[in-house]
Amino acid sequence: MELRVLEYFLAVAREESISKAAEFLHLTQPTLSRQLKDLEEELGKQLFLRGSRKVTLTEDGMYLRNRAEEILELVHRTQHDLMQSEEIITGEVAIGCGETDAIRHVVQAILRLQEQYPQIHYSFVSGDSANVLYALDKGLVDFGVVLGQLNLSKYEALPFPTVDTWGILMRKDAPLAQKGYVEAEDLWELPLLLSRQVPQHSRITDWLKRPLDSLHIAAYYNLIYNASIMVEEGLGYALTLDKLINTSGHSSLAFLPLRPALDNELHLIWKRYQVFSRAAEKFLEAVKSVF
């Protein structure tokens, strides 16, 4: 399976037309059709449904499109890294990160690095730990910022100098807001908004002292901003980390820590035996200095 043919395949998937893709690629339509047919025969899968007006991807075709995009992105990044000047360090450092106030430490490292290497650029991919680990495993990011316990058999890890604290985000006019802290018993009868990763966090389920299926789960969320809107509108109480949502000033929301306290460790991780670009190496050096 040649990279050139993957480029052809993606062009057809994007244009939804063999003739339009052939025009874009400066190929004849029969040549492009032959390449696609050879690809399908090589893989033993039908990749397109050819209609009278457009072609659409089959389920196998959609799978290949996702993988082809990842493969070509890695190839382009590798080419860029290898073609860098020996004197000037440029390139992109890609970082996958969960929601945490501790990302400030990473930003501080970037600010230091920019003074010496202003041509290094950075891209951040936000998501929960599952998203971050997927992107890291596929080589779509160089580093990941993850929260909580982690199996480090596949990764190298650098612990953050701070921890995140769990608590409950609620409306300021909620009766519980006057208490100053939250105990497990306070939540047993309340509608809860939980991160979709909570079922995999045994420390949280242990803290709650009850199985999740015995609680009133109003909704699961992925990123906390949308959950904060749900809280503001009165849908429930969100179990989340401190300092992610502004609760000061005129905010209608309040954050109360859990009692007993429940903290999360954080790590900057990267794949074990990872071969870094020079830009990524400099970034890691700067992070270690800040940490």
Side-chain angles (χ1 to χ4, degrees):
M1 187 164 50
E2 298 180 24
L3 296 176
R4 171 179 53 84
V5 178
L6 289 181
E7 296 273 16
Y8 295 169
F9 166 78
L10 288 177
V12 176
R14 181 178 63 250
E15 300 293 335
E16 297 184 334
S17 165
I18 294 177
S19 59
K20 290 181 180 179
E23 182 179 353
F24 172 81
L25 295 167
H26 304 292
L27 297 173
T28 65
Q29 186 171 334
T31 297
L32 181 56
S33 295
R34 180 70 254 172
Q35 294 282 355
L36 296 176
K37 184 173 178 58
D38 289 346
L39 179 61
E40 289 181 316
E41 290 177 354
E42 178 185 354
L43 297 175
K45 300 288 185 181
Q46 182 179 0
L47 303 175
F48 294 101
L49 297 174
R50 295 162 172 82
S52 58
R53 296 188 176 182
K54 69 176 184 178
V55 296
T56 57
L57 293 174
T58 63
E59 185 174 343
D60 289 321
M62 289 187 285
Y63 176 83
L64 180 60
R65 180 184 62 188
N66 293 335
R67 288 293 180 264
E69 289 172 345
E70 294 172 359
I71 291 168
L72 293 173
E73 170 66 17
L74 287 174
V75 169
H76 296 154
R77 287 180 59 192
T78 302
Q79 289 175 333
H80 181 275
D81 291 340
L82 291 174
M83 293 170 63
Q84 287 187 65
S85 165
E86 290 296 328
E87 294 78 22
I88 301 175
I89 297 180
T90 66
E92 180 181 272
V93 178
I95 305 157
C97 52
E99 292 182 298
T100 171
D101 183 72
I103 200 69
R104 296 177 186 275
H105 299 291
V106 174
V107 176
Q108 290 166 12
I110 290 173
L111 289 173
R112 289 190 185 186
L113 203 57
Q114 281 183 333
E115 296 178 3
Q116 187 173 3
Y117 303 105
Q119 297 191 58
I120 297 178
H121 302 284
Y122 308 88
S123 67
F124 284 82
V125 179
S126 296
D128 58 27
S129 293
N131 299 137
V132 171
L133 292 177
Y134 175 84
L136 191 62
D137 290 342
K138 297 299 181 182
L140 304 178
V141 297
D142 302 298
F143 300 93
V145 176
V146 293
L147 291 70
Q149 297 174 333
L150 180 68
N151 180 357
L152 294 177
S153 60
K154 297 194 300 181
Y155 310 104
E156 299 289 346
L158 184 66
F160 275 68
T162 56
V163 296
D164 276 340
T165 300
W166 284 96
I168 301 296
L169 187 69
M170 65 188 73
R171 290 168 57 111
K172 284 181 178 176
D173 59 6
L176 185 57
Q178 310 307 314
K179 188 175 179 180
Y181 57 87
V182 178
E183 297 175 295
E185 293 81 356
D186 297 326
L187 303 177
W188 289 349
E189 304 300 328
L190 295 179
L192 301 179
L193 309 173
L194 302 182
S195 165
R196 67 176 185 175
Q197 295 187 93
V198 163
Q200 283 76 50
H201 281 268
S202 59
R203 292 177 64 231
I204 294 177
T205 53
D206 289 345
W207 183 92
L208 287 166
K209 301 178 183 177
R210 283 192 174 182
L212 293 182
D213 57 11
S214 70
L215 301 175
H216 179 188
I217 311 299
Y220 284 96
Y221 67 86
N222 182 17
L223 300 177
I224 187 58
Y225 179 76
N226 285 343
S228 73
I229 300 297
M230 301 177 202
V231 173
E232 192 172 6
E233 292 298 319
L235 182 61
Y237 297 71
L239 178 65
T240 184
L241 297 171
D242 196 7
K243 300 179 182 178
L244 297 183
I245 298 296
N246 180 19
T247 58
S248 63
H250 297 292
S251 172
S252 63
L253 302 177
F255 177 90
L256 270 65
L258 304 182
R259 180 177 290 186
L262 190 62
D263 295 329
N264 250 6
E265 295 181 346
L266 299 102
H267 291 87
L268 180 78
I269 65 172
W270 57 95
K271 286 196 293 186
R272 186 158 291 181
Y273 312 118
Q274 172 79 19
V275 178
F276 283 133
S277 66
R278 286 184 295 155
E281 288 178 350
K282 293 298 181 184
F283 169 78
L284 184 55
E285 291 174 7
V287 170
K288 289 180 177 179
S289 175
V290 168
F291 281 19

